[in-house]
């Protein structure tokens, strides 16, 4: 583990109790581990808010492959953004529905753009984007 810095945090009693319950629900081994995760999460979110950072993310979509032209549109869009699409995994969920996970990496604006476009195509029943980064500088 890199050099550690210790600091003390004062919390209102009720907030502290709620935090301890949060730790136990999530099986955190210590408060420190949970605080580290929360800080990293906040900093990665901030990286996503800045337009210069390179980020990574996934988009998960569920759609009915019988809908006319939907599969073609999804493929065309991914080719338009081939510079940020790393990989696509397709699962045939049932007779009608497909689930696709698209892994993205690149400038935040471009990653966000294709993510939003994929999720908003008519016929996509559910879409969810997950944002992360390499966490460089955050370990
Ligand atoms: Ni399928």
């Amino acid at each position: 583990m890199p050099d550690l810095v210790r600091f003390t945090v004062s919390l209102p009693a009720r907030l502290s109790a709620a935090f301890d319950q949060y730790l136990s629900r999530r099986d955190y081994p210590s408060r420190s581990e949970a605080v580290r995760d929360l800080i990293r999460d906040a900093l990665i979110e901030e990286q996503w808010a800045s337009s210069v950072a390179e980020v990574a993310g996934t988009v998960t979509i569920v759609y009915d492959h019988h809908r006319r032209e939907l599969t073609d549109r999804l493929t065309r869009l991914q080719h338009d953004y081939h510079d940020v699409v790393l990989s696509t995994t397709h699962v045939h969920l049932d007779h009608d529905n497909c689930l696709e996970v698209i892994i993205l990496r690149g400038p935040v604006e471009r990653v966000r753009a294709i993510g939003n476009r994929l999720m908003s195509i008519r016929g996509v029943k559910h879409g969810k984007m997950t944002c992360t980064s390499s966490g460089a500088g955050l370990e």
Side-chain angles (χ1 to χ4, degrees):
M1 190 169 272
D3 289 346
L4 292 179
V5 175
R6 287 178 194 277
F7 66 101
T8 307
V9 178
S10 304
L11 295 177
R14 287 175 65 173
L15 184 58
S16 173
F19 187 55
D20 285 343
Q21 285 166 13
Y22 169 89
L23 301 190
S24 105
R25 282 196 301 276
R26 299 196 172 211
D27 279 332
Y28 269 110
S30 69
R31 287 177 172 164
S32 291
E33 193 55 45
V35 169
R36 282 193 284 268
D37 278 358
L38 290 169
I39 290 173
R40 282 191 201 104
D41 216 40
L43 293 174
I44 286 173
E45 209 164 285
E46 193 181 51
Q47 280 185 336
W48 268 78
S50 87
S51 57
V52 289
E54 168 147 320
V55 295
T58 62
V59 175
T60 303
I61 51 175
V62 175
Y63 61 93
D64 182 342
H65 72 90
H66 295 300
R67 283 195 67 129
R68 284 186 58 199
E69 296 185 6
L70 178 55
T71 311
D72 282 350
R73 288 190 66 190
L74 291 168
T75 304
R76 219 178 306 135
L77 189 57
Q78 293 183 53
H79 279 275
D80 288 346
Y81 285 83
H82 66 87
D83 52 309
V84 294
V85 174
L86 294 181
S87 158
T88 303
T89 298
H90 184 108
V91 176
H92 311 302
L93 274 187
D94 57 32
H95 184 264
D96 301 319
N97 294 293
C98 301
L99 175 144
E100 230 166 81
V101 180
I102 300 113
I103 304 177
L104 306 164
R105 184 174 70 190
V108 64
E109 288 307 325
R110 194 138 171 88
V111 168
R112 202 194 299 273
I114 184 179
N116 289 335
R117 291 185 67 183
L118 284 166
M119 293 187 292
S120 64
I121 288 180
R122 184 199 291 267
V124 172
K125 296 175 175 179
H126 183 232
K128 191 100 182 159
M129 181 149 58
T130 309
C131 316
T132 187
S133 81
S134 69
L138 304 179
E139 51 285 313

